Amino acid sequence: RSARTNNNLLVKMNPQANFNEFDELINQKPIEKYKCNLDLVYVIRPGEINTDLRYSLRSVEKFCSFRKIWIVGFKPKWVQNVGYIPTVQNLSKWQNSTINCIAACKSSEISEDFVLMNDDFFAIRPIKDWAKDTNVCLGQLSDYAEKFSNLKNPSKWQAAFKSVDDLLKKLGCSRTYNYEAHLPMLVNKKKFLNAISQPEAKRLEESNQIIHKRSLYKNLYPEANEPRRIKDVKVEMCSDIFADKL
C-alpha cells in the first residue's frame, strides 16, 4: 500500500495527492465537534502558495474546536482569523522549524499546553482526547538508530536518530521511543524549551545537523501511559483515506 491510516484521527498527505475526494469530505453536512481548551499551532515555512495549509485549515475547521489557531513563521496573505507570530527564517528548514517552535513556546498568548501541527497534516474525524490520541510512537528509537547507522551513506535525517538516541541515553533515558510520526503532538511550552535548550541539542542545531525535536521532547517528558505503537502515516492517494466512506 502507498498509504497507511492506521485508524488515526489525522494523517499526513503527499503534496502530489489529488484533493477532490478531500473536498467531498470537507463539504459534508456539519458534524459534532469536541470543544478543546488548547491552542493549535502551525509552524509554517515561507511561501504564499501553500495548498496543504489551505486544506489543513479547512479540515481543522470541519472536525476540531480549538481555543485559538496560531501560525508561527510565515502567514500567507489569504489566511484570516488566526493568531500570527512572524519569525525570520533564513537557515535550513530544520533550523527554521526549531526557531518557529521556540517562538511559539515563548509566546505568552499561546496556551501553556498546545497542539503542534504541520501544514501537511489533515483532520479526518473529531478528536476527543488529544493527550491520549497523540501518545503514539513508531517503535524503539534504538532500532532506528541501528538501522540507519548500518547504511553506507545515511542522510542527515537518518543519522539524526543515532544522535538523539545517544543524547537521550546521556540524559538518563534508558528506554527511548521514536516519536517522529507524521501526526500532531501535544506540547508543554516550558518542558519543550527545556528539552530543546539541552547543550548538546543546541550544538547539533548550530553545527547544521538535525535534531529530532519530537523524540527529544517526548522521551524527556513522556505521558503517564506507555505510547501506543503505530505504523507511520503517509498518504499518497486520497482514496486510501476514504475507502470506508467517512
Side-chain angles (χ1 to χ4, degrees), residues 21 50 53 78 83 88 96 127 145 148 158 164 182 246:
E21 289 171 288
N50 193 330
L53 178 60
W78 50 265
V88 176
N96 290 341
I127 299 173
F148 291 131
Q158 292 169 333
V164 74
H182 292 94
L246 291 174

Side-chain angles (χ1 to χ4, degrees), residues 4-172:
R4 308 186 193 97
T5 60
N6 301 301
N7 241 1
N8 282 306
L9 305 178
L10 288 97
V11 297
K12 172 184 171 69
M13 194 177 294
N14 185 289
Q16 302 303 316
N18 186 307
F19 284 94
N20 291 339
E21 289 171 288
F22 201 77
D23 273 321
E24 294 178 10
L25 179 68
I26 294 299
N27 292 326
Q28 285 179 1
K29 64 182 180 180
I31 61 172
E32 180 182 0
K33 297 185 283 189
Y34 300 107
K35 285 191 176 182
C36 177
N37 62 357
L38 301 170
D39 287 351
L40 180 70
V41 176
Y42 284 91
V43 289
I44 302 297
R45 58 170 175 78
E48 263 316 307
I49 300 175
N50 193 330
T51 303
D52 286 342
L53 178 60
R54 186 184 299 273
Y55 277 88
S56 181
L57 286 167
R58 290 181 65 192
S59 73
V60 167
E61 173 65 23
K62 177 73 177 182
F63 295 106
C64 307
S65 181
F66 288 96
R67 191 189 77 153
K68 187 169 183 177
I69 296 174
W70 291 85
I71 285 182
V72 182
F74 179 87
K75 183 178 77 67
K77 294 177 182 177
W78 50 265
V79 178
Q80 301 178 1
N81 302 319
V82 301
Y84 176 43
I85 300 175
T87 64
V88 176
Q89 300 185 74
N90 54 11
L91 301 174
S92 71
K93 70 175 184 178
W94 307 103
Q95 292 169 312
N96 290 341
S97 172
T98 301
I99 289 170
N100 292 340
C101 289
I102 290 174
C105 290
K106 287 185 174 180
S107 169
S108 60
E109 296 183 86
I110 293 176
S111 57
E112 288 304 307
D113 296 312
F114 66 86
V115 176
L116 180 62
M117 187 80 162
N118 285 9
D119 57 4
D120 54 356
F121 296 168
F122 303 83
I124 59 174
R125 57 176 70 90
I127 299 173
K128 187 174 184 179
D129 188 336
W130 282 92
K132 177 182 177 181
D133 291 332
T134 61
N135 187 27
V136 297
C137 73
L138 301 178
Q140 296 293 319
L141 189 59
S142 57
D143 292 341
Y144 285 80
E146 181 180 358
K147 178 176 73 171
F148 291 131
S149 294
N150 290 330
L151 296 179
K152 185 175 181 181
N153 294 302
S155 66
K156 280 188 176 182
W157 182 84
Q158 292 169 333
F161 283 96
K162 186 175 189 311
S163 297
V164 74
D165 190 44
D166 289 345
L167 171 56
L168 287 165
K169 297 289 176 55
K170 289 179 182 178
L171 295 173

